[in-house]
Amino acid sequence: MSTTLPESPENTTKTLDVSGYGITRRAWVATDPERAYDLLSAVSNISLWSPNAIRAQYEEDAGARAGAWFRGRNQRGGNEWDSRSQVRKAERGTEFTYTVLGSVPVPIVRWRWTFTPDRSGTLLAQTWQLLEADPVLGSTYADLDALRDATAKGMEDTLVALAGWIAENPAA
């Protein structure tokens, strides 16, 4: 079953053009797309692999479905912060996408995972896209460049850790 929510309207207070701030990283994992999806859409698992995630949990026992909300606690460079995200698309074995709210209640970042069958496993693609400028992300292009670079490194570390975890836990 596929469920999708539309994106929010543009925030008219945008000061920096963030349209060029998006990256994708890929990795092959030794499991089928449905299991890879199940592992990643259970957001409480992300702290097993991501160097930046401390914890995440769906609100009110919600699960991986469009419209569901979850909260997270993250870290980077000695800083910690809380986040609130909403699932935008939840299509088992194909795509899991969510957006993160900023300092005002509009989505500022989109995270998208896609799952493509590849030989005896799955090609995962993880995409991060800035949607809106927000002071929590930085106030200059140099800030956004540093954020993009740190995010790319975190994505690469997450994919390597996830692939290793799947190889070590084939039945989990």
Side-chain angles (χ1 to χ4, degrees):
M1 177 174 161
S2 173
T3 54
T4 305
L5 289 180
E7 293 295 333
S8 295
E10 286 271 316
N11 177 357
T12 58
T13 63
K14 188 184 332 185
T15 57
L16 297 173
D17 178 8
V18 300
S19 61
Y21 287 90
I23 48 179
T24 299
R25 296 295 184 263
R26 293 174 181 81
W28 184 89
V29 295
T31 195
D32 61 86
E34 290 77 15
R35 178 170 177 248
Y37 173 92
D38 292 346
L39 289 168
L40 288 160
S41 67
V43 296
S44 59
N45 288 336
I46 194 63
S47 62
L48 295 171
W49 314 298
S50 172
N52 301 318
I54 296 171
R55 68 178 169 274
Q57 184 173 357
Y58 282 108
E59 295 180 2
E60 303 172 9
D61 297 321
R65 61 173 173 72
W69 290 92
F70 64 92
R71 292 188 181 271
R73 181 105 181 128
N74 305 291
Q75 63 186 357
R76 182 182 295 134
N79 296 315
E80 289 189 15
W81 66 96
D82 293 316
S83 63
R84 187 163 189 240
S85 302
Q86 186 176 38
V87 177
R88 308 305 289 188
K89 186 170 185 177
E91 189 173 325
R92 187 169 187 255
T94 304
E95 181 178 340
F96 182 68
T97 298
Y98 62 92
T99 54
V100 181
L101 295 183
S103 59
V104 294
V106 298
I108 58 172
V109 174
R110 179 188 309 116
W111 287 94
R112 180 176 185 239
W113 290 89
T114 58
F115 310 85
T116 305
D118 186 59
R119 301 174 310 243
S120 62
T122 301
L123 180 62
L124 294 179
Q126 181 185 25
T127 300
W128 171 86
Q129 178 68 54
L130 286 183
L131 301 173
E132 297 289 341
D134 189 297
V136 302
L137 302 174
S139 58
T140 67
Y141 287 112
D143 292 340
L144 297 181
D145 290 347
L147 173 64
R148 179 201 54 223
D149 295 347
T151 299
K153 172 75 169 109
M155 291 167 68
E156 292 160 7
D157 292 346
T158 297
L159 288 166
V160 167
L162 174 60
W165 188 92
I166 288 172
E168 293 171 7
N169 298 278

